[in-house]
Amino acid sequence: MTPVEHAFSENGALANAISGFSPRQAQTDMAIEVAQAINNQSSLIVEAGTGTGKTFAYLIPALIANQQAAEKEEPQRKIIVSTGTKNLQEQLFHKDLPLIKKSLATQAQVALLKGRANYLCVYRLEQYQQSRGQLDAQTLADFVKVREWANTTNTGDTGELVNVMENSPVFPFVTSTVDNCLAKDCPNFEDCYLIKAREKAIDADLVVVNHHLFFADMALKDTGFGELIPKADVMIFDEAHQIADIASEYFGDAFSTRQLLDLCTDVIQIYKTSLTDVKQLGKAAEKLLKASQEFRLLFNYDPERGNWREKHHQKRFGEAFAALKVDLDFLYQVIKLCISRNEAIDNCFERAVSLLAQYDIMADVDALGMSFWYETTPRHVVLHKTPLSVADKFSDYVKESGAGWIFTSATLAVNGKFEHFAEHLGLKGASHLLLESPFDYAVQSQLVVPRYLPEANDKNRANVLANMAIPLIEASEGACFMLFTSYRVMHQVAELLSELIDNPLLVQGQMGKRKLLDEFIEHKKSVLLATASFWEGIDVRGDNLTCVIIDKLPFASPDDPLLQARSEDVKRRGGEPFAQIQLPQAVIALKQGVGRLIRDVEDKGIMVICDNRLVNKPYGEVFLNSLPSMTRTRNIEQAVSFLQNMKNRD
Ligand code: SF4
């Protein structure tokens, strides 16, 4: 028996340290394969169904490999674990790792590293201390809390600030961005929390990061960074289904009016506090600030994504974009006259130079192999240039690294195959492993595809959905998620349900995501209506969630500019865009949504997918073959009985 097998055995380290631990074959199989990939420095892709225990199945072999190297006095294996979100990072670092370290009795040094926006910037805190009169009352109140906390924190991790809302406007004033960080020129460099956290990560045996941070490091998108990954021997990606899109983002370029606004705000601040003699500074910054706000106003009010190449060719957008360049160039010229007067203005000069370069990239919309697209937020526009594929770049990196690469998630395979995932990342020679969930889906759940549903674009659809949901909500006594593919339909259904049922209705956007979930769990009879961000990473167990209704198959909008560009590219190569891109993407998204229902061996419930295409289109089979094997029905009454029986047994 290998040390890894032994750790997972009946008398192994986990059984000794964790009460109630019992060996699970799928978990042990995964751990053995992970250990091999680490030893052979090869790549492994594992789909581990919900409940397999994949976190332990990758952490244990990685830490054992590190331990063995230490015992043989060989160079220690440095491990990077990358997760999908900050919450998962924290759970892994604060919950799973201490347990595993204890069970293996390892002395491995572990570190948690978050993105720079999560660390207090001592320099900016001091700067804004001088000008807090400019902050509004709420921001000022939060600023006072941050300042008090700053006197006591050891880590500078803003996650400790529980009494300040995550989206408080104070954070841009007290954290840094790649643009405004003074790095080695910073007078507070020695006390910088971000630098300290990075140094700790460099020295640790195992570092927990998130995908955004990983790819920022890999693509060298953050100054003074880029040292972590080249030193690692083992890379592990959990929630790996997300990484192709995140990698594209970091291997591409972006230019946002937010960056312009931040630059203007900082220049105005410098003019008011230190370079008061250079009046042109204030004027040039105000002018650019106005131009970037006017540029945003050209786009629709509601946030949207669209084709920047097309927009750029339209006269009014082309002209407004050209006007931005004139004002940015003017600000650059004025800042240039102030170079060397202080570090802050030198930093602004570098940012203006870099923004001019980024501007030119976004103006060259005819570049090949790239998608040019934009997205808007209520206040800003971000222009993106995204490579159509990251496969070549990523696979070169994997080959050159000489490391073991492990990719895992509960949703990687489509119709039992991994081609879609592997091709996107250029992982041609990687081994695969597909591990079924240990849950008994046929007993624990039922899949309902209701009959007589209107077409996906039928005007009466919201009405039909709301009325169809009522008996299910009654039978499940709330404890129901309704997951939508569009905000519009979500709001229409919410409005209708508010008239038709008495259950508390929680609608995405009413409050922050975490708060909304807390409310859902606290008010047992509630119904939660949400879109994309609730399809993933939500873990509500037991009676708290017994019914999940999905409004339709989650195909990406055909208007999505990135999808359009990728589809054209596939067509040019003689491929089938629907089969190669849209279908696999939608299958993975649906698997994620369906994965919200059964989270534990004791869980039970019904999964309703309101889309006839699942049963009357040939590609419906691909979806069905990719989902867990739930019993199926088209009859709402049967689903109602299933829920009633469940409740009666309770
Ligand atoms: S080095 Fe950058 S992040 Fe650190 S204190 Fe200075 S400006 Fe802030």
Side-chain angles (χ1 to χ4, degrees), residues 278-358:
V278 195
K279 288 207 171 55
Q280 287 287 46
L281 267 184
K283 278 192 190 150
E286 296 281 6
K287 197 154 182 288
L288 176 60
L289 199 131
K290 195 160 166 264
S292 54
Q293 284 164 342
E294 280 168 0
F295 185 64
R296 167 64 186 94
L297 290 176
L298 287 180
F299 295 81
N300 285 331
Y301 175 77
D302 286 332
E304 61 173 11
R305 284 157 71 118
N307 187 323
W308 169 236
R309 194 178 267 148
E310 275 172 16
K311 278 269 187 282
H312 187 262
H313 289 312
Q314 289 174 23
K315 196 164 175 270
R316 65 195 184 108
F317 284 94
E319 283 177 0
F321 192 56
L324 270 186
K325 168 85 182 263
V326 173
D327 292 335
L328 176 58
D329 204 38
F330 178 53
L331 180 63
Y332 156 81
Q333 299 293 348
V334 178
I335 299 175
K336 198 171 164 189
L337 298 173
C338 308
I339 281 184
S340 299
R341 288 193 57 183
N342 64 35
E343 278 97 5
I345 200 71
D346 287 357
N347 167 266
C348 289
F349 178 71
E350 280 166 28
R351 285 157 69 186
V353 171
S354 138
L355 279 165
L356 280 167
Q358 281 168 278

Coordinates of all heavy atoms in Angstrom, one line a residue, residues 278-358:
V278 N 0.7 74.0 -10.0 CA 0.5 73.5 -11.4 C -1.0 73.5 -11.7 O -1.6 72.4 -11.6 CB 1.2 72.2 -11.6 CG1 1.3 71.9 -13.2 CG2 2.5 72.1 -11.0
K279 N -1.6 74.6 -11.9 CA -3.1 74.7 -12.1 C -3.5 73.8 -13.3 O -4.6 73.2 -13.3 CB -3.5 76.1 -12.4 CG -3.4 77.0 -11.2 CD -4.4 78.1 -11.3 CE -4.6 78.9 -10.0 NZ -3.3 79.5 -9.5
Q280 N -2.7 73.7 -14.3 CA -3.1 72.9 -15.5 C -3.3 71.4 -15.1 O -4.1 70.7 -15.8 CB -1.9 72.9 -16.5 CG -1.8 74.2 -17.3 CD -2.9 74.4 -18.3 OE1 -4.1 74.2 -17.9 NE2 -2.6 74.8 -19.5
L281 N -2.7 70.9 -14.0 CA -2.9 69.6 -13.6 C -4.4 69.3 -13.3 O -5.0 68.4 -13.8 CB -2.1 69.2 -12.3 CG -0.7 68.6 -12.4 CD1 -0.2 68.4 -11.0 CD2 -0.7 67.4 -13.2
G282 N -4.9 70.2 -12.5 CA -6.4 70.1 -12.1 C -7.2 70.2 -13.3 O -8.2 69.4 -13.5
K283 N -6.9 71.2 -14.2 CA -7.8 71.4 -15.4 C -7.8 70.2 -16.4 O -8.8 69.8 -16.8 CB -7.3 72.7 -16.2 CG -7.8 73.9 -15.5 CD -7.5 75.1 -16.5 CE -7.8 76.4 -15.7 NZ -7.0 77.5 -16.2
A284 N -6.6 69.7 -16.6 CA -6.4 68.6 -17.6 C -7.1 67.4 -17.0 O -7.8 66.6 -17.8 CB -4.9 68.3 -17.8
A285 N -7.0 67.1 -15.7 CA -7.6 65.9 -15.1 C -9.2 66.1 -15.2 O -9.9 65.1 -15.5 CB -7.2 65.7 -13.7
E286 N -9.7 67.3 -14.9 CA -11.1 67.5 -14.9 C -11.7 67.3 -16.3 O -12.7 66.7 -16.5 CB -11.5 68.9 -14.5 CG -11.1 69.3 -13.1 CD -12.1 68.8 -12.0 OE1 -13.0 68.1 -12.4 OE2 -12.0 69.1 -10.8
K287 N -10.9 67.7 -17.3 CA -11.3 67.6 -18.7 C -11.4 66.1 -19.1 O -12.4 65.7 -19.7 CB -10.3 68.3 -19.6 CG -10.8 68.7 -21.0 CD -10.1 69.9 -21.5 CE -10.7 70.2 -22.9 NZ -10.3 69.3 -23.9
L288 N -10.4 65.4 -18.8 CA -10.4 63.9 -19.1 C -11.5 63.2 -18.4 O -12.2 62.3 -18.9 CB -9.1 63.3 -18.8 CG -9.0 61.8 -19.1 CD1 -9.2 61.5 -20.5 CD2 -7.6 61.3 -18.7
L289 N -11.7 63.6 -17.1 CA -12.8 63.0 -16.3 C -14.1 63.2 -17.0 O -14.9 62.2 -17.1 CB -12.8 63.6 -14.9 CG -13.4 62.9 -13.8 CD1 -12.5 62.8 -12.6 CD2 -14.7 63.6 -13.4
K290 N -14.4 64.4 -17.5 CA -15.6 64.7 -18.1 C -15.8 63.9 -19.4 O -16.8 63.3 -19.7 CB -15.7 66.2 -18.4 CG -17.0 66.7 -18.8 CD -17.1 68.2 -18.6 CE -18.4 68.7 -19.2 NZ -18.2 69.2 -20.6
A291 N -14.7 63.8 -20.2 CA -14.7 63.1 -21.5 C -15.0 61.6 -21.3 O -15.8 61.0 -22.0 CB -13.4 63.3 -22.2
S292 N -14.4 61.1 -20.2 CA -14.7 59.6 -20.0 C -16.1 59.4 -19.5 O -16.7 58.4 -19.9 CB -13.6 59.0 -19.1 OG -13.6 59.7 -17.9
Q293 N -16.7 60.3 -18.7 CA -18.1 60.2 -18.3 C -19.0 60.3 -19.6 O -19.9 59.5 -19.7 CB -18.5 61.2 -17.3 CG -17.9 60.9 -15.9 CD -17.9 62.1 -15.0 OE1 -18.0 63.2 -15.4 NE2 -17.7 61.8 -13.7
E294 N -18.6 61.2 -20.5 CA -19.5 61.4 -21.7 C -19.4 60.2 -22.6 O -20.3 59.8 -23.2 CB -19.0 62.6 -22.4 CG -19.6 63.9 -21.8 CD -19.0 65.2 -22.4 OE1 -18.1 65.1 -23.2 OE2 -19.4 66.2 -21.9
F295 N -18.2 59.5 -22.6 CA -18.0 58.3 -23.4 C -19.0 57.2 -22.9 O -19.6 56.5 -23.6 CB -16.6 57.9 -23.3 CG -16.2 56.7 -24.2 CD1 -16.3 56.8 -25.6 CD2 -15.8 55.5 -23.6 CE1 -16.1 55.7 -26.4 CE2 -15.5 54.4 -24.4 CZ -15.7 54.5 -25.8
R296 N -19.1 57.1 -21.5 CA -20.0 56.1 -21.0 C -21.4 56.3 -21.4 O -22.2 55.4 -21.7 CB -19.8 56.1 -19.4 CG -20.9 55.3 -18.7 CD -20.9 53.8 -19.0 NE -22.0 53.0 -18.5 CZ -23.2 52.8 -19.1 NH1 -23.4 53.2 -20.3 NH2 -24.1 52.1 -18.5
L297 N -21.8 57.7 -21.4 CA -23.2 58.0 -21.7 C -23.6 57.6 -23.1 O -24.8 57.5 -23.4 CB -23.4 59.5 -21.5 CG -23.4 60.0 -20.1 CD1 -23.5 61.5 -20.0 CD2 -24.5 59.3 -19.3
L298 N -22.7 57.4 -24.0 CA -23.0 57.0 -25.4 C -23.6 55.6 -25.4 O -24.3 55.2 -26.3 CB -21.7 56.9 -26.3 CG -21.1 58.3 -26.7 CD1 -19.9 58.0 -27.5 CD2 -22.1 59.1 -27.4
F299 N -23.3 54.8 -24.4 CA -23.8 53.4 -24.4 C -25.1 53.3 -23.7 O -25.5 54.3 -23.0 CB -22.8 52.5 -23.7 CG -21.4 52.4 -24.4 CD1 -20.5 53.4 -24.2 CD2 -21.1 51.3 -25.2 CE1 -19.2 53.3 -24.9 CE2 -19.9 51.2 -25.8 CZ -19.0 52.2 -25.7
N300 N -25.8 52.2 -23.9 CA -27.1 52.1 -23.2 C -27.0 52.2 -21.7 O -25.9 51.9 -21.1 CB -27.7 50.7 -23.5 CG -28.3 50.7 -24.9 OD1 -28.7 51.7 -25.4 ND2 -28.2 49.5 -25.5
Y301 N -28.1 52.7 -21.1 CA -28.0 52.9 -19.6 C -27.8 51.5 -18.9 O -27.0 51.4 -18.0 CB -29.3 53.5 -19.1 CG -29.4 53.7 -17.7 CD1 -28.7 54.7 -17.0 CD2 -30.2 52.8 -16.9 CE1 -28.7 54.8 -15.6 CE2 -30.2 52.9 -15.5 CZ -29.5 53.9 -14.9 OH -29.5 54.0 -13.5
D302 N -28.6 50.5 -19.3 CA -28.5 49.2 -18.6 C -27.1 48.5 -19.0 O -26.7 48.6 -20.1 CB -29.6 48.3 -19.0 CG -30.9 48.7 -18.4 OD1 -30.8 49.3 -17.3 OD2 -32.0 48.5 -19.0
P303 N -26.5 47.9 -18.0 CA -25.2 47.2 -18.3 C -25.4 46.2 -19.4 O -26.4 45.5 -19.5 CB -24.9 46.5 -17.0 CG -25.6 47.3 -15.9 CD -26.8 47.8 -16.6
E304 N -24.5 46.1 -20.3 CA -24.6 45.2 -21.5 C -23.2 44.9 -22.0 O -22.2 45.5 -21.6 CB -25.3 45.9 -22.6 CG -24.6 47.2 -23.1 CD -25.3 47.8 -24.4 OE1 -26.4 47.4 -24.7 OE2 -24.6 48.7 -24.9
R305 N -23.1 43.9 -22.9 CA -21.9 43.5 -23.6 C -22.1 43.6 -25.0 O -23.2 43.4 -25.5 CB -21.5 42.0 -23.2 CG -20.9 41.8 -21.9 CD -21.1 40.4 -21.5 NE -20.3 39.5 -22.2 CZ -19.3 38.7 -21.7 NH1 -19.1 38.7 -20.4 NH2 -18.6 37.9 -22.5
G306 N -21.1 44.0 -25.8 CA -21.3 44.1 -27.2 C -20.0 44.1 -28.0 O -19.0 44.0 -27.4
N307 N -20.1 44.3 -29.3 CA -19.0 44.2 -30.2 C -18.3 45.6 -30.3 O -18.9 46.5 -30.9 CB -19.5 43.7 -31.5 CG -18.4 43.4 -32.5 OD1 -17.4 44.1 -32.5 ND2 -18.6 42.4 -33.3
W308 N -17.1 45.7 -29.7 CA -16.4 47.0 -29.8 C -15.9 47.3 -31.2 O -15.9 48.5 -31.6 CB -15.2 47.0 -28.8 CG -14.3 48.2 -28.9 CD1 -13.0 48.1 -29.2 CD2 -14.7 49.6 -28.9 NE1 -12.5 49.4 -29.3 CE2 -13.5 50.3 -29.1 CE3 -15.9 50.3 -28.7 CZ2 -13.5 51.7 -29.1 CZ3 -15.9 51.6 -28.8 CH2 -14.7 52.4 -29.0
R309 N -15.6 46.3 -31.9 CA -15.1 46.5 -33.3 C -16.2 47.2 -34.1 O -15.9 48.2 -34.8 CB -14.8 45.2 -33.9 CG -14.0 45.3 -35.2 CD -13.6 43.9 -35.7 NE -12.4 43.4 -35.3 CZ -12.1 42.1 -35.1 NH1 -13.0 41.2 -35.2 NH2 -10.9 41.7 -34.7
E310 N -17.4 46.7 -34.0 CA -18.6 47.4 -34.7 C -18.8 48.8 -34.2 O -19.0 49.7 -35.0 CB -19.8 46.5 -34.5 CG -20.0 45.4 -35.4 CD -21.2 44.5 -35.1 OE1 -22.0 44.9 -34.3 OE2 -21.2 43.4 -35.6
K311 N -18.8 48.9 -32.9 CA -19.1 50.2 -32.3 C -18.0 51.2 -32.8 O -18.3 52.4 -33.1 CB -19.1 50.2 -30.8 CG -20.4 49.7 -30.2 CD -21.3 50.8 -29.8 CE -22.5 50.4 -29.1 NZ -23.6 49.8 -29.8
H312 N -16.8 50.8 -32.8 CA -15.7 51.7 -33.1 C -15.8 52.3 -34.5 O -15.4 53.4 -34.8 CB -14.3 51.0 -33.0 CG -13.1 51.8 -33.1 ND1 -12.5 51.9 -34.3 CD2 -12.5 52.7 -32.3 CE1 -11.4 52.8 -34.2 NE2 -11.5 53.3 -33.0
H313 N -16.4 51.4 -35.4 CA -16.6 51.9 -36.8 C -17.8 52.9 -36.9 O -18.0 53.5 -37.9 CB -16.8 50.7 -37.7 CG -15.6 49.9 -37.9 ND1 -14.3 50.5 -38.2 CD2 -15.3 48.6 -37.8 CE1 -13.4 49.5 -38.3 NE2 -13.9 48.4 -38.1
Q314 N -18.6 53.0 -35.9 CA -19.7 53.9 -35.9 C -19.2 55.3 -35.6 O -18.4 55.5 -34.6 CB -20.8 53.6 -34.9 CG -21.6 52.3 -35.3 CD -22.6 51.9 -34.2 OE1 -23.0 52.7 -33.4 NE2 -22.9 50.6 -34.2
K315 N -19.7 56.3 -36.4 CA -19.1 57.7 -36.3 C -19.0 58.3 -34.9 O -18.0 58.7 -34.4 CB -19.9 58.6 -37.2 CG -19.2 59.9 -37.6 CD -19.9 60.5 -38.8 CE -19.2 61.9 -39.1 NZ -19.9 62.9 -38.4
R316 N -20.2 58.2 -34.2 CA -20.2 59.0 -32.9 C -19.4 58.3 -31.9 O -18.7 58.9 -31.0 CB -21.7 59.2 -32.4 CG -22.4 58.0 -32.1 CD -23.9 58.2 -32.0 NE -24.6 57.0 -31.6 CZ -25.1 56.8 -30.4 NH1 -25.0 57.8 -29.5 NH2 -25.7 55.7 -30.1
F317 N -19.3 56.9 -31.9 CA -18.4 56.2 -31.0 C -16.9 56.5 -31.3 O -16.1 56.8 -30.5 CB -18.7 54.7 -31.0 CG -20.0 54.4 -30.2 CD1 -21.2 54.3 -30.9 CD2 -20.0 54.2 -28.9 CE1 -22.3 54.0 -30.3 CE2 -21.1 53.9 -28.2 CZ -22.3 53.8 -28.9
G318 N -16.6 56.4 -32.6 CA -15.3 56.6 -33.1 C -14.8 58.0 -32.7 O -13.7 58.2 -32.2
E319 N -15.7 59.0 -32.9 CA -15.3 60.4 -32.6 C -15.1 60.6 -31.1 O -14.1 61.2 -30.6 CB -16.3 61.3 -33.1 CG -16.2 61.5 -34.6 CD -17.3 62.4 -35.2 OE1 -18.2 62.9 -34.4 OE2 -17.3 62.6 -36.4
A320 N -16.0 60.0 -30.3 CA -15.9 60.2 -28.8 C -14.6 59.5 -28.3 O -14.0 60.0 -27.4 CB -17.1 59.6 -28.1
F321 N -14.3 58.4 -28.9 CA -13.1 57.6 -28.5 C -11.9 58.4 -28.8 O -10.9 58.5 -28.1 CB -13.1 56.2 -29.1 CG -12.1 55.3 -28.6 CD1 -12.1 55.0 -27.2 CD2 -11.1 54.7 -29.4 CE1 -11.1 54.1 -26.7 CE2 -10.2 53.8 -28.9 CZ -10.2 53.5 -27.5
A322 N -11.9 59.0 -30.0 CA -10.8 59.9 -30.4 C -10.6 61.1 -29.5 O -9.5 61.5 -29.2 CB -11.0 60.3 -31.9
A323 N -11.7 61.6 -29.0 CA -11.7 62.8 -28.1 C -11.0 62.4 -26.8 O -10.3 63.1 -26.2 CB -13.1 63.3 -27.9
L324 N -11.3 61.1 -26.4 CA -10.6 60.6 -25.1 C -9.1 60.7 -25.3 O -8.4 61.1 -24.4 CB -11.0 59.2 -24.9 CG -12.3 58.8 -24.1 CD1 -12.3 57.3 -23.8 CD2 -12.2 59.5 -22.7
K325 N -8.7 60.3 -26.5 CA -7.2 60.3 -26.7 C -6.6 61.7 -26.6 O -5.6 61.8 -26.0 CB -6.9 59.6 -28.1 CG -5.5 59.8 -28.6 CD -4.6 58.6 -28.1 CE -3.2 58.8 -28.5 NZ -2.8 58.0 -29.7
V326 N -7.3 62.6 -27.1 CA -6.8 64.0 -27.1 C -6.7 64.5 -25.6 O -5.6 65.0 -25.2 CB -7.8 65.0 -27.9 CG1 -7.4 66.4 -27.7 CG2 -7.8 64.6 -29.3
D327 N -7.7 64.2 -24.8 CA -7.6 64.7 -23.4 C -6.6 63.9 -22.6 O -6.0 64.4 -21.7 CB -9.0 64.6 -22.8 CG -10.0 65.6 -23.4 OD1 -9.5 66.6 -23.9 OD2 -11.2 65.3 -23.4
L328 N -6.5 62.6 -22.9 CA -5.5 61.7 -22.2 C -4.1 62.2 -22.5 O -3.2 62.3 -21.7 CB -5.7 60.3 -22.5 CG -4.8 59.3 -22.0 CD1 -4.7 59.3 -20.4 CD2 -5.1 57.8 -22.4
D329 N -3.9 62.5 -23.8 CA -2.6 63.0 -24.3 C -2.3 64.3 -23.6 O -1.1 64.5 -23.2 CB -2.7 63.1 -25.8 CG -1.3 63.0 -26.4 OD1 -0.5 62.1 -25.9 OD2 -1.0 63.7 -27.3
F330 N -3.3 65.2 -23.5 CA -3.0 66.5 -22.9 C -2.6 66.3 -21.4 O -1.6 66.9 -20.9 CB -4.3 67.3 -23.0 CG -4.1 68.7 -22.4 CD1 -3.1 69.6 -22.7 CD2 -5.1 69.1 -21.4 CE1 -3.0 70.8 -22.1 CE2 -5.0 70.4 -20.8 CZ -3.9 71.2 -21.2
L331 N -3.3 65.4 -20.7 CA -3.0 65.2 -19.3 C -1.6 64.6 -19.2 O -0.8 65.0 -18.3 CB -4.0 64.2 -18.6 CG -3.8 63.9 -17.2 CD1 -3.9 65.1 -16.3 CD2 -4.8 62.8 -16.7
Y332 N -1.3 63.7 -20.1 CA 0.1 63.1 -20.1 C 1.1 64.2 -20.2 O 2.1 64.2 -19.5 CB 0.1 62.1 -21.2 CG 1.5 61.8 -21.7 CD1 2.3 60.9 -21.1 CD2 2.0 62.4 -22.9 CE1 3.6 60.6 -21.6 CE2 3.2 62.1 -23.4 CZ 4.0 61.2 -22.7 OH 5.3 61.0 -23.2
Q333 N 0.9 65.2 -21.1 CA 1.9 66.2 -21.4 C 2.1 67.1 -20.1 O 3.2 67.5 -19.7 CB 1.4 67.2 -22.5 CG 1.3 66.5 -23.9 CD 2.6 66.0 -24.5 OE1 3.7 66.3 -24.0 NE2 2.5 65.2 -25.5
V334 N 0.9 67.4 -19.4 CA 1.0 68.2 -18.2 C 1.8 67.5 -17.1 O 2.6 68.1 -16.5 CB -0.4 68.7 -17.8 CG1 -0.3 69.5 -16.5 CG2 -1.1 69.4 -18.8
I335 N 1.4 66.2 -16.9 CA 2.1 65.4 -15.9 C 3.6 65.4 -16.1 O 4.4 65.5 -15.2 CB 1.5 64.0 -15.8 CG1 0.0 64.0 -15.4 CG2 2.2 63.2 -14.7 CD1 -0.7 62.7 -15.4
K336 N 3.9 65.2 -17.4 CA 5.3 65.1 -17.8 C 6.2 66.3 -17.3 O 7.3 66.1 -16.9 CB 5.4 65.0 -19.3 CG 6.7 64.4 -19.9 CD 6.5 64.2 -21.4 CE 7.8 64.0 -22.0 NZ 7.7 64.0 -23.5
L337 N 5.5 67.4 -17.3 CA 6.2 68.6 -16.8 C 6.6 68.6 -15.3 O 7.4 69.3 -14.8 CB 5.4 69.9 -17.1 CG 5.1 70.2 -18.6 CD1 4.1 71.4 -18.7 CD2 6.4 70.5 -19.3
C338 N 5.8 67.7 -14.6 CA 6.0 67.6 -13.1 C 6.9 66.5 -12.7 O 7.0 66.2 -11.5 CB 4.6 67.5 -12.5 SG 3.5 68.7 -12.9
I339 N 7.4 65.7 -13.7 CA 8.1 64.5 -13.3 C 9.2 64.8 -12.3 O 9.8 65.9 -12.3 CB 8.8 63.9 -14.6 CG1 7.7 63.1 -15.3 CG2 9.9 62.9 -14.3 CD1 8.2 62.4 -16.5
S340 N 9.4 63.9 -11.4 CA 10.4 63.9 -10.3 C 10.1 64.9 -9.2 O 10.9 65.0 -8.2 CB 11.8 64.3 -10.8 OG 12.2 63.4 -11.8
R341 N 8.9 65.5 -9.2 CA 8.6 66.4 -8.1 C 8.1 65.6 -6.9 O 8.3 66.0 -5.8 CB 7.6 67.4 -8.5 CG 8.2 68.5 -9.4 CD 7.4 69.7 -9.6 NE 7.0 70.4 -8.4 CZ 6.2 71.4 -8.3 NH1 5.7 71.9 -9.5 NH2 5.9 72.0 -7.2
N342 N 7.5 64.5 -7.1 CA 7.2 63.5 -6.0 C 6.9 62.1 -6.6 O 6.6 62.0 -7.8 CB 6.2 64.0 -5.0 CG 4.8 64.2 -5.6 OD1 4.4 63.4 -6.5 ND2 4.1 65.2 -5.1
E343 N 6.9 61.1 -5.7 CA 6.7 59.7 -6.2 C 5.3 59.6 -6.8 O 5.1 58.9 -7.8 CB 6.8 58.7 -5.1 CG 8.2 58.3 -4.7 CD 8.7 59.1 -3.6 OE1 7.9 59.9 -3.0 OE2 9.9 58.9 -3.2
A344 N 4.3 60.2 -6.1 CA 2.9 60.1 -6.5 C 2.7 60.6 -8.0 O 2.0 59.9 -8.8 CB 2.0 60.8 -5.6
I345 N 3.3 61.7 -8.3 CA 3.1 62.2 -9.7 C 3.9 61.3 -10.7 O 3.4 61.1 -11.8 CB 3.4 63.7 -9.8 CG1 2.7 64.3 -11.0 CG2 4.9 64.0 -9.8 CD1 1.3 64.4 -11.0
D346 N 5.0 60.8 -10.2 CA 5.8 59.9 -11.1 C 4.9 58.7 -11.5 O 4.9 58.2 -12.6 CB 7.1 59.5 -10.5 CG 8.1 60.6 -10.5 OD1 7.8 61.7 -11.0 OD2 9.2 60.4 -9.9
N347 N 4.2 58.2 -10.4 CA 3.4 57.0 -10.6 C 2.3 57.4 -11.6 O 1.9 56.6 -12.5 CB 2.8 56.6 -9.3 CG 1.6 55.6 -9.5 OD1 0.5 56.0 -9.5 ND2 2.0 54.3 -9.6
C348 N 1.7 58.6 -11.5 CA 0.6 59.0 -12.4 C 1.2 59.1 -13.9 O 0.5 58.8 -14.8 CB 0.0 60.3 -12.0 SG -1.0 60.2 -10.5
F349 N 2.4 59.5 -14.0 CA 3.0 59.6 -15.3 C 3.1 58.2 -15.9 O 2.7 58.0 -17.1 CB 4.4 60.2 -15.2 CG 5.1 60.3 -16.5 CD1 4.7 61.2 -17.5 CD2 6.2 59.4 -16.8 CE1 5.3 61.2 -18.8 CE2 6.8 59.5 -18.1 CZ 6.4 60.4 -19.0
E350 N 3.6 57.2 -15.1 CA 3.7 55.9 -15.7 C 2.3 55.3 -16.1 O 2.1 54.7 -17.1 CB 4.3 54.9 -14.6 CG 5.8 55.0 -14.6 CD 6.3 54.4 -13.3 OE1 5.7 53.4 -12.8 OE2 7.4 54.8 -12.8
R351 N 1.3 55.7 -15.3 CA -0.1 55.2 -15.6 C -0.6 55.8 -16.9 O -1.2 55.2 -17.7 CB -1.0 55.5 -14.5 CG -0.8 54.6 -13.3 CD -1.3 55.2 -12.0 NE -2.7 55.3 -11.9 CZ -3.3 56.0 -10.9 NH1 -2.6 56.5 -9.9 NH2 -4.6 56.1 -10.8
A352 N -0.3 57.1 -17.1 CA -0.7 57.8 -18.3 C -0.1 57.2 -19.5 O -0.7 57.0 -20.5 CB -0.4 59.3 -18.2
V353 N 1.2 56.9 -19.4 CA 2.0 56.2 -20.5 C 1.3 54.9 -20.8 O 1.0 54.6 -22.0 CB 3.4 56.0 -20.1 CG1 4.2 55.2 -21.2 CG2 4.2 57.3 -19.9
S354 N 1.0 54.1 -19.7 CA 0.5 52.8 -20.0 C -1.0 52.9 -20.6 O -1.4 52.1 -21.4 CB 0.6 52.0 -18.7 OG -0.6 51.3 -18.4
L355 N -1.7 53.9 -20.1 CA -3.1 54.0 -20.6 C -3.1 54.4 -22.1 O -3.9 54.0 -22.9 CB -3.9 55.1 -19.8 CG -4.5 54.6 -18.5 CD1 -4.9 55.7 -17.6 CD2 -5.7 53.7 -18.8
L356 N -2.1 55.3 -22.5 CA -2.0 55.6 -23.9 C -1.7 54.4 -24.7 O -2.2 54.2 -25.8 CB -0.9 56.7 -24.1 CG -1.3 58.1 -23.7 CD1 -0.1 59.0 -23.6 CD2 -2.3 58.7 -24.8
A357 N -0.8 53.5 -24.2 CA -0.5 52.3 -24.9 C -1.7 51.4 -25.0 O -2.0 50.9 -26.1 CB 0.7 51.6 -24.2
Q358 N -2.4 51.3 -23.9 CA -3.7 50.4 -24.0 C -4.7 51.0 -24.9 O -5.4 50.3 -25.6 CB -4.3 50.3 -22.5 CG -3.5 49.4 -21.7 CD -4.0 49.5 -20.2 OE1 -3.5 50.4 -19.5 NE2 -4.9 48.7 -19.8

